[in-house]
Amino acid sequence: MGWKAAQKLIQKWKILRGDNVMIIRGKDKGETGFVKRVVRSQNRVIVEGKNLVKKHIKQGQGHEGGIFTVEAPLHVSNVQVLDPQTGKPCKIGYAYMEDGTKVRVARGVGASGSIIPRPEILKIRATPRPNMVGSKDTPMDLVMEKTYDAKFGKGMPEL
């Protein structure tokens, strides 16, 4: 990617991994699918089972060679999120609920204005957190030790 294209990177992404989108331009125009991956460094998304291209892969150590069909990335401007009520493509806006939580809302011509929920797949971590204690972890008894007493000012460093 050239430096001019890098200047036009999207800062605030509205399309997330796991969103149900419709392709609005290109050879798969009008088809719907789920976003498999978001490539933010190139302003592109990969839609599951769409924009298929043939790729020639050379044989290497540990894998076969041949011609494979893979999903190519689409530019983010060529897809739109589907309105959950009407099933039509719409733009995404943001609104605040009464309790103060920020939600995505369908907006645009013919949009219902309904809430677009965050995909469940985002709650699953790609790399799970380690649950074993390592050599560089602080022991729990030191973590829970009380080192400052506000009543007597004990534990304050001398400045």
Side-chain angles (χ1 to χ4, degrees), residues 4 18 28 33 36 45 49-50 55 59 90 113 118 138 148 159:
K4 284 223 175 200
D28 292 329
K36 190 176 183 181
V45 294
K50 305 296 179 224
K55 187 162 184 165
Q59 183 178 355
C90 64
R118 284 180 60 88
T138 307
Y148 175 70
L159 298 177

Side-chain angles (χ1 to χ4, degrees), residues 111-131:
S112 64
S114 61
I115 294 172
I116 301 171
R118 284 180 60 88
E120 291 293 320
I121 197 166
L122 294 177
K123 294 178 182 172
I124 303 167
R125 288 183 62 93
T127 55
R129 290 190 177 123
N131 54 1

Side-chain angles (χ1 to χ4, degrees), residues 35-47:
V35 175
K36 190 176 183 181
R37 188 168 161 227
V38 176
V39 186
R40 295 185 180 205
S41 62
Q42 298 175 357
N43 286 346
R44 294 184 180 271
V45 294
I46 296 175
V47 181

